[in-house]
């Protein structure tokens, strides 16, 4: 529920390399209790002295958002992410807290979160009521420059069957309020109960996309038709196709790899549309079920093969996905980044697996938070 009007500024499409941008939502945690604390406004204000509007407040005051400007290459994106995280880590320390990249708070203070003072946040509280009592979640959003709205909607038809794979790749929220939920991405479960979140409906045109949003908004399941919060959407204010289904990741290397992988998928899908293919009509309920499976198991069990609809071992899903977008990855010099990501996943598991391993080491939930704080700051705990 980020204020999209303050997101990344538009950027021109440079040559045949679409720009990419990233938004990350972090928690602020107390260094002694390790619980999430409402330090966001102060931390954002202090960090903005260094990186300007690349940081902002979030829905819950125990969070803060960092974002990059549009970037052309993986190296450029890495530099910008490091700069923004460094500014936020420093600002958090100065305000007596720590920056923590996790899809849900491992530990949190009791009661509903303190909500930021913004008209959209207040409207959301009025509309969704107690559904927001535990709506404290940290997301990773990736934008790919795609200014043609009609093309963006049809491209989304090709991309939407891959949403479960991106949930599984980014799963980084097994704990909530001090307990292991049994899910790899509890954040996805929290989001999934909202009627206006999840995979977007299939739309044969931009006009149909808008019509569906109006019909849903009329039921009051969506705040406003011009600002849908589907997991994949043409951004309402930016010339981008945006994915919103992922947990924020601990390590910048993983974030970079996921971002360039998504760009390759968008580029591949857009080319399919240009060749006259409007995209597969996967049923929304099937995709919601596949997203639930991905949230439960993460990158550790079977995954949804977007090309066939079958559940396959995640290693096979990875092979299929990379094979599908390989020409784009090679064209933009990103194949090594993505290959290294899947090698890390095979060796250590997803973020949820790492969190659980840290918890089993004897340190408990507080130790998990400590490891997350180190990873967010740029250290690399094993």
């Amino acid at each position: 529920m980020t204020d999209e009007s303050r997101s990344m500024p538009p950027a021109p499409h440079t040559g045949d390399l679409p720009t990419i941008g990233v938004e990350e939502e972090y928690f602020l945690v107390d260094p002694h209790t390790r619980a999430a604390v409402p330090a966001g406004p102060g931390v954002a204000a202090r960090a903005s002295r260094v990186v300007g509007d690349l940081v902002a407040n979030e829905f819950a005051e125990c969070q803060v958002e960092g974002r990059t400007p549009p970037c052309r290459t993986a190296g450029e994106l890495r530099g910008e992410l490091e700069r923004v995280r460094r500014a936020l880590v420093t600002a958090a320390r100065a305000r007596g807290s720590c920056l923590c990249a996790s899809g849900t708070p491992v530990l949190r203070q009791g009661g509903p979160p303190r909500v930021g003072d913004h008209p959209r946040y207040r409207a959301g509280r009025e509309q969704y009521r107690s559904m927001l009592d535990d709506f404290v979640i940290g997301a990773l959003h990736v934008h790919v420059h795609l200014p043609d709205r009609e093309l963006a909607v049809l491209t989304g038809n090709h991309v939407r069957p891959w949403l479960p794979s991106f949930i599984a790749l980014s799963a980084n929220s097994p704990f909530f309020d001090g307990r292991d939920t049994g899910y790899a991405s509890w954040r996805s479960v929290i989001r999934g109960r909202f009627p206006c979140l999840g995979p977007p409906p299939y739309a044969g045109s931009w006009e149909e996309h808008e019509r569906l949003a109006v019909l849903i908004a009329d039921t009051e399941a969506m705040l406003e038709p011009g600002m849908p919060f589907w997991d994949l959407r043409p951004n309402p204010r930016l010339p981008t196709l945006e994915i919103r289904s992922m947990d924020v990741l601990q390590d910048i290397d993983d974030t970079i790899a996921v971002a360039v992988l998504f760009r390759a998928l968008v580029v591949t899908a857009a080319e399919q549309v240009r060749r006259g293919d409007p995209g597969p009509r996967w049923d929304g309920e099937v995709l919601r079920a596949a997203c639930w499976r991905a949230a439960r198991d993460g990158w550790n069990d079977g995954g949804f093969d977007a090309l066939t609809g079958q559940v396959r071992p995640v290693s096979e899903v990875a092979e299929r996905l990379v094979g599908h977008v390989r020409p784009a990855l090679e064209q933009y010099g990103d194949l090594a980044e993505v290959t290294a990501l899947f090698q890390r996943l095979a060796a250590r598991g997803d973020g949820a697996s790492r969190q659980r391993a840290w918890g089993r080491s004897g340190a408990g939930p507080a130790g998990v938070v400590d490891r997350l704080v180190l990873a967010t700051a740029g250290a690399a705990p094993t």
Side-chain angles (χ1 to χ4, degrees):
M1 304 182 75
T2 304
D3 179 9
E4 301 290 347
S5 66
R6 297 175 301 179
S7 282
M8 301 170 297
H13 187 294
T14 306
D16 63 352
L17 183 63
T19 54
I20 48 178
V22 163
E23 299 170 86
E24 294 186 315
E25 298 165 1
Y26 313 98
F27 290 102
L28 284 311
V29 299
D30 184 285
H32 305 292
T33 68
R34 280 80 161 193
V37 291
V43 171
R46 190 177 186 94
S48 68
R49 301 174 194 170
V50 179
V51 293
D53 63 0
L54 297 182
V55 297
N57 295 318
E58 251 299 324
F59 172 75
E61 289 192 351
C62 62
Q63 293 182 270
V64 66
E65 179 183 279
R67 50 184 173 246
T68 73
C71 300
R72 283 173 49 82
T73 66
E76 184 182 352
L77 186 62
R78 178 176 284 101
E80 292 293 342
L81 268 176
E82 289 174 346
R83 183 167 71 98
V84 171
R85 280 202 186 189
R86 187 163 52 246
L88 284 169
V89 166
T90 301
R93 288 172 178 164
R95 301 286 299 189
S97 61
C98 301
L99 198 71
C100 181
S102 180
T104 49
V106 177
L107 295 166
R108 72 184 186 111
Q109 294 178 330
R114 279 172 46 178
V115 176
D117 186 21
H118 186 276
R120 181 169 290 111
Y121 301 160
R122 293 195 295 272
R125 171 62 75 184
E126 173 66 24
Q127 194 148 321
Y128 297 114
R129 305 170 192 180
S130 284
M131 287 182 74
L132 294 176
D133 285 354
D134 60 354
F135 193 79
V136 278
I137 56 176
L140 164 63
H141 298 170
V142 179
H143 295 252
V144 175
H145 188 255
L146 198 61
D148 184 319
R149 296 294 196 188
E150 187 80 13
L151 177 60
V153 167
L154 298 179
T155 296
N157 291 338
H158 287 274
V159 174
R160 63 195 282 270
W162 293 103
L163 287 170
S165 294
F166 280 88
I167 291 173
L169 282 170
S170 66
N172 189 35
S173 51
F175 296 102
F176 187 79
D177 217 4
R179 67 184 180 92
D180 189 331
T181 65
Y183 281 73
S185 176
W186 190 246
R187 170 188 166 274
S188 295
V189 175
I190 292 173
R191 292 184 80 253
R193 67 186 179 215
F194 285 82
C196 62
L197 302 181
Y202 182 97
S205 65
W206 171 247
E207 181 181 5
E208 183 180 0
H209 179 275
E210 288 191 303
R211 180 180 63 83
L212 291 169
V214 168
L215 288 173
I216 295 171
D218 284 348
T219 71
E220 297 192 0
M222 183 186 294
L223 282 175
E224 54 183 282
M227 189 68 71
F229 287 98
W230 288 317
D231 285 359
L232 182 73
R233 67 180 185 179
N235 185 274
R237 303 183 188 278
L238 304 174
T240 65
L241 185 64
E242 175 191 11
I243 186 171
R244 305 168 55 83
S245 60
M246 295 183 289
D247 290 358
V248 66
L249 292 162
Q250 306 156 15
D251 296 343
I252 283 179
D253 285 347
D254 293 348
T255 301
I256 301 300
V258 167
V260 297
L261 178 61
F262 178 64
R263 174 170 66 179
L265 182 58
V266 170
V267 168
T268 301
E271 183 56 33
Q272 290 176 284
V273 173
R274 293 186 182 102
R275 294 199 302 264
D277 183 352
R281 289 182 173 269
W282 282 108
D283 184 85
E285 290 304 308
V286 172
L287 292 183
R288 288 186 74 90
C291 287
W292 171 83
R293 170 73 181 266
R296 188 190 69 179
D297 297 339
W299 198 255
N300 297 296
D301 195 12
F304 182 76
D305 184 341
L307 300 179
T308 67
Q310 297 176 326
V311 175
R312 299 174 178 270
V314 291
S315 59
E316 292 185 20
V317 174
E319 185 176 350
R320 302 270 289 181
L321 176 54
V322 173
H324 181 61
V325 301
R326 189 182 188 96
L329 291 174
E330 291 179 337
Q331 179 182 356
Y332 302 143
D334 294 330
L335 182 59
E337 293 279 357
V338 172
T339 300
L341 168 67
F342 286 114
Q343 289 172 343
R344 289 192 295 272
L345 287 167
R348 72 186 188 194
D350 53 28
S353 297
R354 297 179 75 196
Q355 287 199 37
R356 287 191 171 111
W358 295 336
R360 289 193 300 267
S361 69
V368 174
V369 175
D370 291 343
R371 296 292 192 95
L372 284 167
V373 167
L374 286 173
T376 305
T382 58

